[in-house]
Amino acid sequence: MANMRMDKNPMPEQDPKVRTGNFDETALGYTAEAAVDEAKRCLNCREPRCVEGCPMSVPIPAFIARVAEGDFKGAYETLFAVSNLPAVCGRVCPQEALCEGRCIRGIKGEPVAIGRLERFTADWHIQNGGASPDDEYAEPNGHRVAVIGSGPAGLTCAGELVRLGYEVTVYEAMDRPGGLMMFGIPAFRLPRSVVEMEIVRLESLGVEIITESTVGKMDSVDELFEQGFEAVFIGSGAGMLQKLDIPGEDLPGVLSAKDLLMRAEELGRDAMAGKRVVVAGDGDMALDAARTALRLGAEDVRVLCGHPVDDLPARREEVHRALAEGVTFLPETAPLEILAGEDGHVSAVRISGREPDLLEADTVVVAVGAGPDPLLLHTTPGLDSTATGGIAADAATGATSRVGVFAGGDAVTGVGTVISAMTAGKSAAASIHKYIQGK
Ligand SMILES: Cc1cc2nc3c(=O)[nH]c(=O)nc-3n(C[C@H](O)[C@H](O)[C@H](O)COP(=O)(O)OP(=O)(O)OC[C@H]3O[C@@H](n4cnc5c(N)ncnc54)[C@H](O)[C@@H]3O)c2cc1C
Ligand code: SF4
């Protein structure tokens, strides 16, 4: 008998006043009891709309049915058969626009909390040893594939291929794998330990990851083929920051959201003590930068967002959390000029869409987006680009203009989502398998 309560089981959270003083995860996760109760809200629809809304076609009712029975191991195995990174997706996927946005229970009440159940299931697995299901180990098939970049696109492609028996080497420019899951999305939304556990599990399946190795600076794509790799997947992301292109952008006191997010924990609690911070931008990156500034001690954080607050291109849940923490949104505004004080440091921002048009500020954070780095396009002859500077690749197969080279994720589309990058990595893995087996 389904639980017909209209509302989702609430997600326990750290108190807003407490959590702005630390980088620990804001959302605390369901207990087993809450998870089973929430799972019982699922109607196990014969034609599940939630699955249609999931880019990876995760068998949602099947895994939720296992949770409802208290079979958390079975739930995990059902999830992991389709998704390599369930603990990540359960935390950061925009479920309100995907699976939960389509759930039938959402018509009269709140949808089933699919994301929270996915997170619960993956966390239960991690807390109970975190080993990969035995049937995921495949006999080596003697073929080698190189993957460039260890974000969700690269890791998913690598995970899929290794499960088919390929020898997969992932080359990563940074000193730690994970891409934006490790260096973008802040720890208070996605703890580093969760990403590390997912990576360790992929390594235990046989994925080799070589860090501090930038393809294009060290070996080129062509040199990887010379070394015996039969196919290359490019999942190099969109690491080139966009600028505001307004006067004053180079003043001391102006920093990029990427720098702030990457260095936040090493900067420490007092790095912005007492500061008035203005953030320009309104996506996930801007929200994360604003909430990070609060955790670094900022006294006042205002976000200049081009959209109304109800229509921000960021996760709804996170917008509410940011408001509860004390972030102020200035909707439908944009920065026009950054002004310096007598000491040459940032002192104010002139904006459009509001009177008075001058905001006093000690720090301005630029969070207006990012595009793909052209390094691999420049160093790989015959690799075509898109009009927006990404690597041109077929949306369904990941095939590029170079035979044997596949691409997907932000490197192709510009900044998207974790799940869109994973979906691209998974499709490309299937194409690579077909390509190598058909040679
Ligand atoms: C602050 C922020 C918050 C976000 N919040 C969310 C969210 O809540 N939900 C969501 O779904 N998405 C979110 N996103 C977007 C999401 O993180 C990205 O869409 C996703 O990570 C893209 O995956 P990817 O694998 O294509 O690229 P990335 O994650 O960027 O990984 C690419 C990797 O390739 C490496 N690399 C680049 N060039 C080379 C080279 N030449 N050789 C070797 N390695 C190379 C990079 O160092 C990087 O590690 C957020 C992004 C940011 C910046
Ligand atoms: S649409 Fe909602 S109720 Fe139906 S199977 Fe999916 S999660 Fe369950």
Side-chain angles (χ1 to χ4, degrees):
M1 177 70 183
N3 169 353
M4 293 313 288
R5 212 189 45 251
M6 289 295 168
D7 301 337
K8 291 176 180 178
N9 270 274
M11 176 60 107
E13 289 181 359
Q14 282 196 70
D15 184 277
K17 287 200 191 77
V18 175
R19 69 189 189 230
T20 48
N22 64 57
F23 282 93
D24 298 340
E25 193 169 12
T26 299
L28 301 173
Y30 277 167
T31 59
E33 196 183 22
V36 170
D37 187 63
E38 182 64 27
K40 288 183 177 161
R41 293 188 62 231
C42 175
L43 303 178
N44 207 349
C45 304
R46 194 172 299 158
E47 288 178 25
R49 295 157 41 130
C50 53
V51 179
E52 287 166 21
C54 173
M56 296 271 280
S57 300
V58 166
I60 292 165
F63 103 77
I64 291 182
R66 300 286 88 73
V67 176
E69 290 160 3
D71 175 11
F72 305 140
K73 183 169 182 284
Y76 181 78
E77 284 168 5
T78 309
L79 266 180
F80 189 66
V82 178
S83 166
N84 277 309
L85 303 168
V88 174
C89 290
R91 285 173 164 83
V92 304
C93 268
Q95 290 105 6
E96 66 275 18
L98 302 171
C99 53
E100 291 184 20
R102 304 286 286 277
C103 171
I104 196 104
R105 292 295 312 263
I107 296 175
K108 288 196 179 150
E110 286 191 322
V112 175
I114 301 168
R116 294 173 186 176
L117 290 173
E118 183 176 17
R119 169 193 164 143
F120 168 79
T121 304
D123 285 0
W124 179 90
H125 177 74
I126 290 171
Q127 283 151 16
N128 285 276
S132 291
D134 289 343
D135 59 0
E136 297 303 333
Y137 295 92
E139 284 299 313
N141 67 11
H143 298 285
R144 294 172 69 208
V145 178
V147 169
I148 304 173
S150 66
L155 289 180
T156 302
C157 184
E160 290 294 316
L161 288 170
V162 91
R163 287 154 100 175
L164 291 167
Y166 289 88
E167 189 185 319
V168 185
T169 306
V170 179
Y171 294 91
E172 169 52 54
M174 304 292 283
D175 59 359
R176 276 202 288 174
L180 288 177
M181 299 184 294
M182 187 64 83
F183 292 109
I185 303 174
F188 56 82
R189 284 210 292 129
L190 180 59
R192 305 297 175 239
S193 58
V194 169
V195 184
E196 277 160 11
M197 276 304 292
E198 298 278 39
I199 290 167
V200 166
R201 208 177 29 66
L202 284 173
E203 285 178 321
S204 76
L205 286 176
V207 174
E208 183 193 20
I209 303 177
I210 302 178
T211 53
E212 298 184 89
S213 184
T214 307
V215 178
K217 275 192 191 154
M218 301 165 96
D219 292 331
S220 65
V221 167
D222 285 308
E223 282 163 332
L224 293 177
F225 281 115
E226 284 163 22
Q227 289 164 23
F229 291 104
E230 292 172 63
V232 175
F233 173 74
I234 304 177
S236 52
M240 285 280 284
L241 292 177
Q242 279 162 13
K243 298 189 81 178
L244 290 168
D245 278 333
I246 60 171
E249 198 166 353
D250 297 325
L251 287 172
V254 181
L255 47 127
S256 77
K258 185 178 174 186
D259 285 346
L260 177 67
L261 291 167
M262 274 179 70
R263 295 184 52 221
E265 281 158 89
E266 96 193 39
L267 285 171
R269 177 76 193 116
D270 295 329
M272 288 190 170
K275 296 263 193 283
R276 295 159 303 175
V277 177
V278 170
V279 178
D282 56 11
D284 285 316
M285 195 196 270
L287 252 75
D288 286 342
R291 296 173 69 192
T292 297
L294 283 177
R295 283 159 174 76
L296 295 176
E299 188 180 283
D300 175 40
V301 179
R302 283 164 292 175
V303 180
L304 305 178
C305 36
H307 298 77
V309 177
D310 289 341
D311 201 20
L312 294 180
R315 296 203 57 206
R316 207 91 297 276
E317 200 169 45
E318 302 301 349
V319 174
H320 289 301
R321 287 179 180 147
L323 285 166
E325 288 170 10
V327 171
T328 305
F329 292 96
L330 302 181
E332 297 174 76
T333 59
L336 297 174
E337 183 180 8
I338 303 171
L339 304 163
E342 280 178 10
D343 58 359
H345 195 274
V346 166
S347 66
V349 186
R350 195 160 62 76
I351 63 171
S352 65
R354 202 176 166 94
E355 289 296 336
D357 67 353
L358 217 53
L359 292 180
E360 291 185 356
D362 307 300
T363 304
V364 175
V365 183
V366 181
V368 284
D373 186 325
L375 175 67
L376 288 162
L377 283 165
H378 290 166
T379 55
T380 314
L383 192 60
D384 287 350
S385 62
T386 64
T388 49
I391 295 168
D394 185 275
T397 65
T400 68
S401 52
R402 276 285 306 268
V403 174
V405 179
F406 298 77
D410 287 7
V412 171
T413 59
V415 176
T417 59
V418 167
I419 194 78
S420 56
M422 288 173 67
T423 307
K426 187 168 180 167
S427 310
S431 307
I432 290 170
H433 181 47
K434 202 167 159 194
Y435 164 72
I436 292 180
Q437 298 307 318
K439 274 208 301 183

